[in-house]
Amino acid sequence: MALIDVQLPNSLARALRLPKKSPRRQQLKVLKKLLKKARFTEFGQQFHFDRILLDRHLVKSFQENVPVYDYTKIYKEWWYKTLEGKPDICWPGKIKYYALSSGTSESASKYIPVTNDLLHGNRIVMVRQLLSLRNYQDIPVKSIGKGWLMIGGSTDLQKGPGYYEGDLSGISAKKVPFWFSPFYKPGKKIAKTRDWTRKLEEIVEQAPGWDIGFIVGVPAWIQMCVEKIIEKYKLNNIHELWPNLGFFVHGGVSFEPYKLGFEKLLGKPITYIETYLASEGFIAYQDRQDERGLRLVTSQHLFFEFVPFDDKNFDSEGNMVDRPEALEIHLVEEGRDYAILISTAAGAWRYLIGDTIRFTDKGKSEIIITGRTKHYLSLVGEHLSVDNMNQAIQFVSEELNISIPEFTVAGVPHGLFFAHQWYVASDSPVDPVVLRDKLDENLKRLNDDYAVERKSALKDISVKVLPPEIFIDFMRSAGKEGGQHKFPRVLKGKLLKDWQNFVEQTNVRSHY
């Protein structure tokens, strides 16, 4: 029986007199389900899940008994056993699928367990998101029954010793429900293709035969695909081929930097729907039109804790302390950044997913993604988040009427002080000095700490404009082309050196 169908008493929630739709009540019920399902695993036995379930202070007991984990710690202590084929380690049964995830920075792949319980929960959330379309105004009804072009990882998963591995998008597509198959494009044969360039070629070749209503994927790769289709068939826009295209379901990175360039490929407006689907689970989704916030999935297969992203809980490199302050959902504050700990229906327990979020509407459990714990830029206390960067890039794009599909930032020495070095992708003619000044102005407006430090130890900001192809070529050289891969917004350490060497070796100069 799938986790999501299990019905359990929730006397604690009743005792607290929580409303049935209270996020806290939902989360207590989810935690109880997870603990009950996993109580006979090695993990559940070591950390006394049976005892926790009997404690009237359920969450407090859970937090006191179970330590926090990042990937390295949980892999070294627990998940490596599942890769050896051992069952009942952190979740009942044997793990048959692993999502390969390297986020946007680490070079080595992470093996994230994927179970049928997790995938079932993900599918329930996907259906809920589709049903939320009834809340939208003037949606293109004709598009709903048309094809779904989902461009992700290969469904031809790599075979390990007793398991399969690949992108979560590939695993999910391989297990697409039978009733969805008639709508699913590019179809099973093309979806199995591992070579990203060949997969794109085959999609472009078959595109005229499809009637697409939805496109789904990471913005950079979707945009590349649409551009290739327009170029091959000499179209003015993609709607000349797919007149019923009405929705773009995207996630993984902020869409704002891509929006201006993407809309140049359209013949009419479409509806954008954002999702927050990580390898560890379907975390949140947009269920209201034109709202920036995403609704957290509080009632299904994930239990959340929120760690204030501050100097008390994280060091300067973004590493979490051993015993952080971890808050339940009813204790969070709007407008404050939190790192997320998740416990899942695949055996992740109090697991630091690495993203930071901010509640925009606590009552509706709506959040925005503000960055990564290790992707904030704070050399001297400027506390610049990826959300700040995305918004600044969006404002600059609109002010200068240019498309900036990619960018990345690095902190660099500047004499005895520091500076920010921006690398910005654009095919549009633009003066780097004007771009730098506009960027600096917007960042000062968006972030008070940045504005203060620009008068102090953060002495300069510089911008290098590069063709978009350089970013794509770098990802290709690192073996991270297509699928769920996205370019890191902040570069540090070895990745920064590799990028700097790559740019220097290609001898790229701004040609504007």
Side-chain angles (χ1 to χ4, degrees), residues 41-59:
T41 63
E42 280 190 30
F43 193 96
Q45 290 292 295
Q46 175 155 331
F47 295 113
H48 314 295
F49 280 11
D50 277 324
R51 188 189 308 165
I52 295 171
L53 282 162
L54 294 173
D55 197 318
R56 58 191 299 265
H57 302 291
L58 181 71
V59 177

Side-chain angles (χ1 to χ4, degrees), residues 44 164 208 241 245 266 285 289 341 361 367 386 412 424 458:
Y164 293 91
L241 185 66
L245 175 61
L266 306 176
Y285 61 93
Q289 194 169 19
L341 299 179
D361 189 323
I367 63 166
V386 173
V412 295
V424 173
L458 188 61

Side-chain angles (χ1 to χ4, degrees), residues 67-331:
V68 295
Y69 288 93
D70 60 12
Y71 175 79
T72 301
K73 182 179 178 184
I74 202 169
Y75 177 84
K76 286 183 177 179
E77 295 182 14
W78 296 99
W79 286 355
Y80 78 91
K81 299 177 186 179
T82 68
L83 281 163
E84 294 174 353
K86 296 177 181 177
D88 305 322
I89 302 301
C90 291
W91 195 252
K94 187 177 177 180
I95 304 298
K96 297 179 181 179
Y97 296 95
Y98 290 88
L100 294 182
S101 171
S102 59
T104 52
S105 58
E106 297 84 0
S107 56
S109 290
K110 298 177 180 178
Y111 286 77
I112 309 296
V114 176
T115 63
N116 285 331
D117 287 326
L118 186 79
L119 292 173
H120 183 64
N122 287 351
R123 285 196 291 271
I124 291 290
V125 179
M126 191 175 299
V127 171
R128 283 191 172 186
Q129 184 172 31
L130 279 176
L131 292 175
S132 74
L133 291 178
R134 65 181 182 270
N135 301 326
Y136 285 45
Q137 300 294 322
D138 301 321
I139 64 168
V141 178
K142 286 185 179 180
S143 305
I144 293 177
K146 305 302 180 181
W148 287 60
L149 176 58
M150 305 173 73
I151 304 180
S154 171
T155 58
D156 185 17
L157 306 176
Q158 300 175 50
K159 183 77 168 67
Y163 61 84
Y164 293 91
E165 60 187 54
D167 283 352
L168 178 66
S169 58
I171 296 172
S172 299
K174 187 178 180 68
K175 299 174 81 67
V176 160
F178 73 92
W179 54 266
F180 187 67
S181 296
F183 305 97
Y184 171 61
K185 306 298 178 187
K188 292 183 178 181
K189 183 177 180 181
I190 296 176
K192 288 182 68 173
T193 305
R194 290 186 182 179
D195 182 272
W196 175 250
T197 301
R198 190 157 68 87
K199 176 183 283 188
L200 272 187
E201 290 173 352
E202 291 176 356
I203 289 173
V204 171
E205 194 66 32
Q206 297 296 323
W210 299 333
D211 186 2
I212 299 298
F214 289 75
I215 49 177
V216 183
V218 174
W221 307 116
I222 291 291
Q223 182 169 334
M224 178 189 292
C225 179
V226 172
E227 286 173 346
K228 286 183 176 295
I229 293 171
I230 290 173
E231 180 182 3
K232 179 173 177 63
Y233 298 106
K234 297 179 172 55
L235 308 173
N236 293 311
N237 59 70
I238 193 62
H239 278 110
E240 291 183 354
L241 185 66
W242 294 334
N244 291 310
L245 175 61
F247 298 91
F248 180 19
V249 183
H250 61 88
V253 294
S254 170
F255 182 57
E256 297 307 329
Y258 302 91
K259 191 171 184 179
L260 187 61
F262 186 80
E263 290 188 337
K264 292 178 180 178
L265 309 176
L266 306 176
K268 57 186 177 182
I270 64 174
T271 300
Y272 300 102
I273 305 174
E274 186 174 0
T275 63
Y276 183 5
L277 175 57
S279 298
E280 294 84 357
F282 205 144
I283 292 174
Y285 61 93
Q286 182 180 355
D287 72 343
R288 292 193 295 160
Q289 194 169 19
D290 301 324
E291 287 294 327
R292 192 164 175 235
L294 308 178
R295 183 183 291 271
L296 271 178
V297 178
T298 55
S299 63
Q300 297 302 325
H301 56 328
L302 307 174
F303 177 73
F304 299 103
E305 298 169 75
F306 304 93
V307 179
F309 189 60
D310 55 27
D311 295 340
K312 176 184 173 184
N313 295 299
F314 290 85
D315 66 19
S316 59
E317 294 298 315
N319 299 304
M320 187 171 61
V321 300
D322 288 337
R323 298 189 67 83
E325 176 189 14
L327 305 176
E328 291 181 67
I329 193 165
H330 66 292
L331 297 174

Side-chain angles (χ1 to χ4, degrees), residues 196-197 200 221 224 472 475-476 478-485:
W196 175 250
T197 301
L200 272 187
W221 307 116
M224 178 189 292
I472 295 170
M475 294 289 282
R476 183 181 293 120
K480 297 180 183 296
E481 184 181 21
Q484 293 175 298
H485 300 299

